[in-house]
Amino acid sequence: MKPTPKQRIWMYESMLKSRLFDDALFEAYWEGKKPVFHMGKGPLPGEMHQSFGQEPTAVGVCAHLGPDDAVGAGHRPHHVAIARGVNLKRMAAEVFGKKTGLSGGRGGHMHLYDNNVNFFCSGIIAEGMGPGAGIALARKMQKKPGIAVAYNGDGAVNQGAFHEVMNMAALWKLPFVCVIEDNNYAVSVTTKESTVVPAWKRAAGYDCPGEYVKGNDPDLIFEAAARAVQHAREGKGPSILEIETERLHGHFIGDSAGYRSKDEVAGQKDPIPVYRKRLLDEKALTAADMETLEANVKEEVDAALKFARDSEYPAPTEALDRVYA
Amino acid sequence: MAQEAPSTGGSSRTLTMARAGREAVIAEMRKDPNIFVIGEDVAKLGGVFGTTVGMAAEFGAERVIDTPISETGFIGIATGAAMAGMRPIVEIAFVDFIGVCFNQIFNFAAKTHYMSGGQFKVPLTMMIGYGGGYNDAAQHSQCLIGTLAHVPGIRIVTPADAYDAKGLMHTCLRDDNLTIWMVHKAIWGLGWLGTAIKTAMATVPEEEYAIPFGQARIWREGTDVTLVGYGITVHHSLQAAEKLAAEGISAEVLDLRTIVPMDRDAIMKSVAKTGRLVVADEDYMNCGVTAEVLATIAERNPKILKAPAVRVANPDIPVPFSRPMENFALPDADKIVAAAKATLKAS
Ligand SMILES: Cc1ncc(C[n+]2csc(CCOP(=O)(O)OP(=O)(O)O)c2C)c(N)n1
């Protein structure tokens, strides 16, 4: 199944939104951290793992999801959250630690939760697996429609949870898709250095479909994801969808990635301009429409950032709320 | 990453904790080929906290091993290697990740010497970072020292400065048990987490020295109130003691230094002198280190207290991300000052 022009435009729009969001955060992150870098300073303290280069993995899969579906992401969640339709203003406010944030400032950028679109994430590697498959189990037990998708990095596939959950998901034929974003790195360690058999090939061990999508290409990811999502919707169980992608920046802001060679970094391709050009070349939209779309996205991101900045911080004692239901 | 504040050279060197700990590891590795380091990003990167910078170059990929993100697996592997005569050092950069591999630690590594009736030794040292204060939220800011201290069979050291970082690392590496060397991220001396707490840098002798388990350290003598802490709360307590001194209150600052075993005699001696006690800990309060300190006095001689003791610790909430809420959850000098004054008012 190929994406319709409308879907392709949506994919571009969502990737761009993620990119502009990350651009804006990148700039804000450095406020208060110059000339001396200190992770705890400025309006955006803490670790900040951004999605530069990985936007296609989010849109190619999330394009197939509807309101009944659920998505779990990891420590690098912005592109996935945006493609899933997480409220951008409240997400920005959460990243800034504001009262108006998705979790009132309790979570931060690695812990974005939006119940309206069944979205969660976790900073612990492979943590999307169990809870993701658990949501899939609930859908099945309650005979409700909907599937669950868990996003993991290539580094997550060697975590016990990955294997344990894949086995159970396959055993119980859960409506579940395990997405692996293969950016070839887990901090400094390459996939080759960590993994004997890649995740998609291990699918054979769970007797479920496994596919590798090359090229960091939204259209190809869309097609492969269509198969995995359909498999889950038809009650046939989980699949593993591994996607080649790029981490264009360091592991987090402040990591200069000195462990990568200059050549390797120079050879990296930004998928967003490539896709933009393709859409224009193939006349999926006119240049004028593109201009309008881009202006609208920029406006939306700017508004989200403004909302975040203008919002109040929570009162200190709000820290005590929400520990228990 | 893996950068740290520059330290002055020469024989009376001022080192960061990262450098001092590393110096001990390198010295022991040069002497004992059975010691190896294993963990995530320890080889190429030199450790997320710079604990292993340069080691891969000196000792090679066989003794400084980058692992997949498979904590259960590599802690289990290190435990087995230790049972077979090796002396592994395992790095878990953030203590929070111990959640995924805790079974290997508390059901096997910590208990094997006992369960085997002493037949198998597990000389394994873990290097772990802990603590918050830089808004890394609930899964990257925990201390979990009380959690670990609850398990028999583990020795836990929590140096507060570079001198102790080196001396306690030597002790851990020479011990035949599971030992955990834990440093609060804010005092480690990493560029990217700031080096604001200068009191954690210290003059460190070039030669080797070992600091015994179970010996507390008095950083500052005083007569009115005892401030007990470890790791970063030692530095908060020192600041608090300064502020109290300005108001004519004399505070003694006691650094537990090793959590297991705990120097209970030192606690009793200090509190017998001052009659008042504040215990500061960044870890969760419930059933934690602060409770253990208070229990020591309750058991041994509660009469030495002239006023109820006060605990300053995480009020049993996940560490919130947002700065005002995180600051609410963390101990600091002002909270310790207020606690000390409360003990004085109450008597
Ligand atoms: C259980 C656990 N171990 C270690 C970490 C530290 N850590 C955070 S991100 C990361 C690398 C993850 O690599 P990958 O899964 O490939 O995702 P990427 O960062 O490349 O997007 C590591 C080791 C963690 N968060 N959780």
Side-chain angles (χ1 to χ4, degrees), chain A residues 47 49-50 54 75-76 110 122-126 152-157 159 181-189 191 247 251, chain B residues 40-41 48 69-71 92-94 96-98 100 139-140:
Chain A
E47 285 175 75
H49 315 79
Q50 297 191 287
Q54 299 188 197
H75 60 285
R76 199 180 300 289
M110 272 190 280
S122 170
I124 301 298
I125 299 300
N152 302 278
D154 51 279
V157 308
Q159 190 63 232
E181 301 181 79
D182 176 17
N183 64 13
N184 194 35
Y185 280 91
V187 191
S188 71
V189 177
T191 308
R247 194 191 81 195
H251 174 67
Chain B
E40 286 151 30
D41 300 288
V48 172
I69 310 172
S70 306
E71 290 87 356
I92 299 275
F94 295 73
D96 312 71
F97 309 155
I98 222 161
V100 302
Q139 297 179 331
H140 287 76

